[in-house]
C-alpha cells in the first residue's frame, strides 16, 4: 500500500499511525537570522542529505515523531493510619512529540 498524507500527518506501513510528516527545522543561520532546514533528500546509498538550506521548498518532508506516547503509566493508592487516610494518584506519559503550528 501507498502512503496517505493529510496535512502534517502520514499513514505509512511500519510507522505509528498519523506520524508527523514535516520538513525538519535545523535552527537559525547566525549570519542573517534566517530559518534553516535539513534537505533530507534521499541519496543513492539510502542515507539522507543532512546539509541545510534556507529554502523551505528545497527540503524533503520526513517522519519526525508521533503524538502517541511510547509509555503511559498510572498509580493510585490509599494509605490509612489511625483516623487519617491519604489517597493519591500519579500519572504520566513519555515519548510523545508535540507539533506547534503557531507561526
Amino acid at each position: 500500500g501507498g502512503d496517505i498524507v493529510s496535512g502534517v500527518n502520514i499513514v505509512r506501513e511500519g510507522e505509528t499511525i498519523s506520524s508527523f510528516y514535516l520538513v525538519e527545522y535545523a535552527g537559525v543561520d547566525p549570519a542573517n537570522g534566517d530559518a534553516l532546514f535539513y534537505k533530507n533528500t534521499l541519496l543513492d546509498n539510502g542515507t539522507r542529505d543532512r546539509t541545510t538550506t534556507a529554502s523551505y521548498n528545497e527540503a524533503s518532508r520526513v517522519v519526525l515523531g508521533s503524538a502517541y506516547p511510547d509509555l503511559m503509566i498510572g498509580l493510585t493508592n490509599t494509605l490509612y493510619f489511625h483516623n487519617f487516610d491519604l489517597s493519591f494518584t500519579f500519572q504520566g506519559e513519555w515519548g510523545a512529540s508535540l507539533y506547534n503550528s503557531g507561526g
Side-chain angles (χ1 to χ4, degrees), residues 79-99:
L79 304 173
Y80 299 96
F81 182 74
H82 295 287
N83 290 330
F84 180 76
D85 63 84
L86 172 69
S87 296
F88 59 88
T89 301
F90 296 108
Q91 63 184 39
E93 65 178 48
W94 288 265
S97 297
L98 298 175
Y99 175 69

Side-chain angles (χ1 to χ4, degrees), residues 26 50 53 101:
R50 298 294 288 169
T53 178
S101 63

